[in-house]
Amino acid sequence: MPVHPDPATIRDLLQAGYRYAWTLTQDRDAAEDLLHDACLSLARGSRPWSRGLLFRAIKHRCIDAHRRRERTVAEARFDAAGLAEYAEDSSEDGVLARLIQTDEVEHALSRLSDTEREVVYLAWCENYTAREIARAVSRPRNTVLSVLHRARQKLRVWLQTSDQSRRAGS
Amino acid sequence: MNTTAYDTRARVRGFYARQSLRPEKMVEIMSDLSAVETPPHHRRFGGWRQAGLLAAALALMGFVGWAWLSADSLDRVVAREIALNHVKGLKPDYPANGFGDLSGMTDKLGFTPFAPDALAGQGFELVGARYCSVQDCMAVQLRLTDRDNRAWTLYQVRPNAELAELESTEVAVDGVRVRLWKESGLVMGLAHNQ
């Protein structure tokens, strides 16, 4: 890849970088700021842009920010009951049903530990191998595999529970 | 209907696919990137640019040579980083009366901070802890006081391949004495003012 890739590739990298930054911060504004800083730092350097390099730059900035202050946790939390009631009153059931499910996933992800969430994102959304994730999170490969297994079990249980609650309330 | 492993993965992927950078932020970043990437003088002075690059390359070679000759050993680099952080004296983010209070840090660190055997019986008291890094490895910085209420800073870090090469040593850096050693698979660094 050239040092400065074409705009389409950069846009693709920015979206991936944003999702990764969101995974680390769970806060839209903080994720955008991390991404912005990381991109400017890469642009000033001479190394070819790559997803791994961008992710590393984002993570380092996230750790730096963590040192300075407690990480901002998103205040808005999913209120399944309230949203479900709203869904009943609306004619746009399909859109709202998807919104509810989106918030259920977001809520479930927020209950994972930072490492579990990062491993899940890299494995499932970026298709990293266990070895690549191990390098990214500075953990042994076997630890990564067990973290992923544990996170998968937790998510499955939580999503099942919220599905059942929603059906019981409908 | 059960939420199968496949469903779980598909729902998480679907969730992430719906998260995207806001268009206005995308424009802002792209604009900043193009400003960084295309300094105008590069286009106007093509010949001079090559000469400049050559000069820069020569300067870089000189710098690399100088840096190689004056390079610090790893223990000194680590000791300097630890001494700098010790001097900053940042307030602990997690006040603690004992190491048991720090179990919440385990998940992020990959290990639980503990009282090293090497410091047993020396009268240290734990004040608190904060996350930090040593040579880009996630670490914990533990603030201690001794019997005379003097501040000491203890670092615990799970070493990467490079840090794993560290040998036990004691180094003085800018008025700070730093002791490095390994214990229970972690690298320890203890700093105090001389």
Side-chain angles (χ1 to χ4, degrees):
Chain A
M1 187 179 286
V3 171
H4 301 308
D6 61 87
T9 308
I10 287 195
R11 274 192 288 274
D12 182 46
L13 277 175
L14 290 183
Q15 292 294 7
Y18 170 73
R19 289 179 189 123
Y20 180 62
W22 185 91
T23 302
L24 299 179
T25 62
Q26 290 198 280
D27 180 89
R28 173 179 283 275
D29 292 336
E32 287 181 347
D33 289 346
L34 279 183
L35 175 67
H36 201 152
D37 284 353
C39 286
L40 288 180
S41 126
L42 290 193
R44 291 190 193 106
S46 57
R47 296 175 67 183
W49 281 62
S50 71
R51 200 165 279 225
L53 199 61
L54 178 61
F55 283 10
R56 267 202 301 283
I58 289 170
K59 185 157 186 182
H60 286 165
R61 273 151 192 79
C62 184
I63 292 171
D64 287 345
H66 188 93
R67 282 188 205 146
R68 288 191 296 270
R69 58 176 166 69
E70 282 291 322
R71 181 168 56 86
T72 302
V73 177
E75 290 176 359
R77 286 289 185 240
F78 171 53
D79 179 354
L83 199 50
E85 280 175 20
Y86 179 52
E88 284 174 6
D89 295 337
S90 170
S91 57
E92 297 177 318
D93 286 343
V95 173
L96 286 170
R98 182 186 291 177
L99 272 176
I100 290 171
Q101 288 190 6
T102 294
D103 278 353
E104 281 170 353
V105 175
E106 180 174 0
H107 182 57
L109 286 170
S110 75
R111 293 174 68 185
L112 294 178
S113 71
D114 294 347
T115 303
E116 287 170 341
R117 196 166 47 249
E118 186 179 1
V119 168
V120 162
Y121 174 75
L122 293 175
W124 292 358
C125 301
E126 294 295 334
N127 296 319
Y128 273 37
T129 64
R131 193 173 301 281
E132 288 168 332
I133 297 172
R135 271 201 298 270
V137 301
S138 304
R139 300 280 177 87
R141 180 177 169 277
N142 284 340
T143 305
V144 165
L145 289 172
S146 62
V147 166
L148 184 59
H149 177 70
R150 198 167 58 232
R152 183 190 293 122
Q153 283 182 323
K154 285 183 187 174
L155 286 171
R156 188 167 62 219
V157 169
W158 292 336
L159 291 176
Q160 265 177 347
T161 306
S162 56
D163 283 349
Q164 284 161 0
S165 305
R166 183 153 36 84
R167 279 200 298 276
S170 63
Chain B
M1 183 185 72
N2 279 337
T3 304
T4 63
Y6 175 76
D7 283 336
T8 307
R9 180 177 172 148
R11 286 176 70 176
V12 169
R13 291 177 77 155
F15 167 78
Y16 272 110
R18 286 189 288 279
Q19 308 305 310
S20 59
L21 187 61
R22 287 179 298 160
E24 60 268 30
K25 191 67 185 179
M26 172 78 79
V27 169
E28 187 186 334
I29 294 176
M30 295 289 278
S31 165
D32 283 355
L33 287 179
S34 55
V36 172
E37 289 171 18
T38 54
H41 63 275
H42 281 186
R43 291 183 185 153
R44 283 191 283 137
F45 304 108
W48 287 105
R49 186 183 173 194
Q50 286 187 349
L53 284 174
L54 182 62
L58 289 171
L60 180 65
M61 286 167 65
F63 173 76
V64 168
W66 171 81
W68 183 76
L69 287 172
S70 59
D72 272 345
S73 59
L74 177 64
D75 54 357
R76 198 155 181 86
V77 169
V78 172
R80 177 165 291 138
E81 187 176 0
I82 285 176
L84 269 175
N85 282 322
H86 169 74
V87 169
K88 282 183 193 168
L90 294 175
K91 195 177 159 194
D93 289 329
Y94 302 95
N97 292 318
F99 282 87
D101 294 341
L102 302 178
S103 56
M105 302 180 86
T106 303
D107 219 12
K108 206 171 191 68
L109 291 168
F111 62 87
T112 305
F114 66 95
D117 290 342
L119 302 185
Q122 295 186 33
F124 286 113
E125 280 191 23
L126 179 64
V127 176
R130 60 186 292 121
Y131 292 109
C132 66
S133 69
V134 173
Q135 295 296 293
D136 288 336
C137 290
M138 180 65 97
V140 63
Q141 184 186 105
L142 301 153
R143 180 68 68 181
L144 310 173
T145 53
D146 62 15
R147 291 188 181 103
D148 300 322
N149 207 31
R150 286 178 303 196
W152 296 61
T153 313
L154 173 66
Y155 293 78
Q156 296 184 342
V157 55
R158 184 180 293 287
N160 57 15
E162 189 184 18
L163 285 181
E165 300 297 317
L166 272 175
E167 298 290 338
S168 298
T169 185
E170 197 158 323
V171 181
V173 183
D174 299 333
V176 177
R177 182 153 289 278
V178 180
R179 177 182 165 197
L180 299 172
W181 76 101
K182 280 186 276 193
E183 189 173 321
S184 301
L186 301 183
V187 168
M188 307 275 167
L190 181 68
H192 70 103
N193 295 335
Q194 282 182 310

